[in-house]
Amino acid sequence: IDALGKRGASRYIIDLRGTSMGDMDDGVAAARLFVKDATLAIRLGREDEREPIVGEPTDGAITAPLALLVDSGTAGAAEVFAAAINGNDRAELFGTNTLGRASRQRLVKLPDQSGLWLTYLRYLTPDGDPIHETGLAPDVDIEQPEVEFGDEAPTPDVTLQRALERLASLSAA
């Protein structure tokens, strides 16, 4: 961000499409760069225990306008990040509904050598809405073209174009 700012960038697009890896805490840590002194997410434990994750007054160093690109491949840490940014009115989501996989799970081995995935923690948006199994709905829903496996995505990228248009209409922070 610093290097881009030195080259004149004043607005940013973060492309989270197809991003499904990473630890949930990394999504929260990334959100801290953009959100100051507010609820970033809520952890929901096994007995409906809610643990808010709150940003610090020293967080939120990046104040420039943002747009986030999401799709059905956006999951996990990327969803937690997007929920924190969007839920604190720092950016709009452009694209399609995200996957809805924002939880911590562990594999429990059973006596017959099979296994069971056990969900023991789920992440909620700053407003307390579930992310896991529902995903995040975009603010600007953009139908995605069907692309055959191995083919290149069509150009222009309609989702990116819509986000660029929206950011161009905003004044820099």
Side-chain angles (χ1 to χ4, degrees):
I1 296 284
D2 288 341
L4 292 171
K6 287 177 184 174
R7 292 177 36 206
S10 61
R11 300 165 184 90
Y12 300 94
I13 294 175
I14 301 173
D15 192 347
L16 300 171
R17 296 175 293 182
T19 304
S20 61
M21 302 300 290
D23 187 272
M24 303 301 165
D25 291 336
D26 293 337
V28 170
R32 288 181 184 283
L33 296 170
F34 301 94
V35 178
K36 179 180 188 169
D37 204 17
T39 300
L40 301 171
I42 300 169
R43 289 186 186 111
L44 181 64
R46 288 182 45 188
E47 296 183 22
D48 289 333
E49 295 173 14
R50 291 175 180 248
E51 177 192 350
I53 304 168
V54 180
E56 301 293 328
T58 56
D59 292 343
I62 302 168
T63 59
L66 304 170
L68 304 181
L69 310 184
V70 297
D71 67 4
S72 61
T74 306
E79 279 180 302
V80 172
F81 171 78
I85 300 299
N86 182 254
N88 283 288
D89 298 323
R90 283 289 289 118
E92 289 181 300
L93 303 180
F94 292 80
T96 60
N97 207 74
T98 64
L99 183 63
R101 198 183 76 208
S103 67
R104 290 194 187 267
Q105 299 176 320
R106 73 175 60 132
L107 180 62
V108 177
K109 290 184 182 181
L110 299 175
D112 67 356
Q113 300 306 308
S114 63
L116 172 71
W117 277 110
L118 176 66
T119 300
Y120 64 93
L121 186 69
R122 296 172 195 253
Y123 283 78
L124 308 176
T125 68
D127 290 334
D129 297 325
I131 301 171
H132 191 69
E133 296 179 346
T134 60
L136 303 171
D139 298 298
V140 181
D141 192 4
I142 302 168
E143 187 174 329
Q144 302 298 303
E146 293 291 324
V147 178
E148 291 293 323
F149 184 74
D151 288 349
E152 289 189 30
T155 52
D157 182 335
V158 178
T159 305
L160 177 60
Q161 291 301 318
R162 291 283 302 275
L164 286 168
E165 290 166 9
R166 182 67 56 91
L167 281 179
S169 70
L170 301 175
S171 62

